[in-house]
């Protein structure tokens, strides 16, 4: 499981501080599919990055009792001067994964062809996201972190992403941040609603969606 206790994230801007997340606590059990809801600026992507250890909290604790992916599609850790293949080799070493198997999967899934031999800094945004997404799901995690910004490319690529995440890994935990409430409701069995820095856990996704709409209308 993932246990979040007293999680606070404060950003400073022009000398002013803003708590995007303020004393947030919740627990995600193994295999749970969690819809992360909230308006723009509510902290969805921030929470995803904190859970994936891309950022560190200002206060509080996140205890990973299961393996957790980095945010799917996250490209910030790529070494731009290295090729896609070299970046894949580095990740295989970090996660002690068979490089040949990982390379076969990434080559087939990303469909980048000869671009895999080119420096990542020459990639378009979409190409970087394809490589990042392929590498993310090439590693077997107990929980996958998904931000809707990773949904790049054509509909066929979207469908393949969903097949690998929601069908082939149906036993894994997922935490999905999106504005598409109906899409999340079709996959998730729990929800976290972020509102004014606080997090509210719901075992009923439909109820979370109702409160999300109520908060949106009130705003």
């Amino acid at each position: 499981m993932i246990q979040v206790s007293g999680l606070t994230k404060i950003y400073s801007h022009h000398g002013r501080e803003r708590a995007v997340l303020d004393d947030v606590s919740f627990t995600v059990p193994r295999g749970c599919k969690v819809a992360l809801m909230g308006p723009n600026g509510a902290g969805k992507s921030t929470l995803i990055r904190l859970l994936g250890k891309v950022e560190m909290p200002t206060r509080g604790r996140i205890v990973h009792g299961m393996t957790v992916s980095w945010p799917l599609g996250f490209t910030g850790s790529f070494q731009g001067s290295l090729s896609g293949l070299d970046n894949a080799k580095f990740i295989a070493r970090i996660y002690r994964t068979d490089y040949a198997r990982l390379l076969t999967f990434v080559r087939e899934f990303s469909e980048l062809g000869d671009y895999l031999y080119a420096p990542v800094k020459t990639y378009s945004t979409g190409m970087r996201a394809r490589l990042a997404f392929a590498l993310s799901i090439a590693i077997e995690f107990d929980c996958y972190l998904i931000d809707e910004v990773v949904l790049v490319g054509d509909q066929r690529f979207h469908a393949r992403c969903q097949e690998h995440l929601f069908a082939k890994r149906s036993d894994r935990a997922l935490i999905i941040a999106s504005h598409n409430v109906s899409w999340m409701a079709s996959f998730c069995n729990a929800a976290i609603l972020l509102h004014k820095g606080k997090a509210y856990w719901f075992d009923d996704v439909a109820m979370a969606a109702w409160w999300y709409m109520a908060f949106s209308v009130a705003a």
Side-chain angles (χ1 to χ4, degrees):
M1 65 177 60
I2 301 173
Q3 292 181 308
V4 176
S5 305
L7 184 66
T8 297
K9 183 63 178 180
I10 297 174
Y11 291 105
S12 297
H13 183 67
H14 295 305
R16 301 182 62 182
E17 292 188 341
R18 175 177 176 247
V20 177
L21 299 171
D22 182 15
D23 195 24
V24 166
S25 299
F26 58 85
T27 299
V28 178
R30 283 182 175 270
C32 189
K33 312 294 190 292
V34 183
L36 185 54
M37 303 181 188
N40 287 332
K44 298 187 301 297
S45 293
T46 296
L47 181 54
I48 289 286
R49 291 194 297 271
L50 290 169
L51 293 172
K53 298 183 179 180
V54 176
E55 294 188 29
M56 298 301 294
T58 305
R59 291 189 297 273
R61 297 179 64 208
I62 301 174
V63 178
H64 289 167
M66 56 184 171
T67 58
V68 179
S69 76
W70 59 87
L72 266 65
F74 178 70
T75 62
S77 60
F78 284 148
Q79 170 52 254
S81 61
L82 297 181
S83 69
L85 292 182
D86 287 335
N87 275 279
K89 184 179 295 185
F90 176 75
I91 289 175
R93 288 176 179 172
I94 291 295
Y95 286 92
R96 299 180 180 179
T97 297
D98 180 71
Y99 174 61
R101 184 198 64 79
L102 181 142
L103 176 58
T104 299
F105 179 87
V106 169
R107 192 190 302 277
E108 186 276 331
F109 192 88
S110 69
E111 298 182 333
L112 290 174
D114 290 341
Y115 282 105
L116 283 172
Y117 298 92
V120 170
K121 64 184 178 183
T122 66
Y123 287 14
S124 68
T125 300
M127 291 166 61
R128 289 171 66 95
R130 279 176 175 263
L131 175 63
F133 201 100
L135 286 170
S136 298
I137 58 177
I139 309 294
E140 295 294 336
F141 294 102
D142 297 321
C143 177
Y144 289 88
L145 305 174
I146 307 166
D147 197 319
E148 66 180 349
V149 297
V150 307
L151 297 180
V152 297
D154 55 28
Q155 290 299 316
R156 187 174 67 86
F157 186 73
H158 291 182
R160 294 174 68 214
C161 293
Q162 292 194 26
E163 177 189 4
H164 276 271
L165 287 171
F166 304 125
K168 294 186 177 181
R169 292 167 176 79
S170 60
D171 60 330
R172 313 301 170 85
L174 302 174
I175 301 177
I176 309 172
S178 176
H179 290 290
N180 192 332
V181 174
S182 60
W183 176 71
M184 290 192 294
S186 65
F187 298 108
C188 298
N189 51 21
I192 296 173
L193 175 59
L194 297 179
H195 181 65
K196 295 184 177 180
K198 301 298 183 181
Y200 303 91
W201 178 275
F202 292 83
D203 291 318
D204 186 330
V205 180
M207 181 62 70
W210 187 92
W211 278 106
Y212 169 58
M213 294 304 298
F215 286 149
S216 299
V217 171

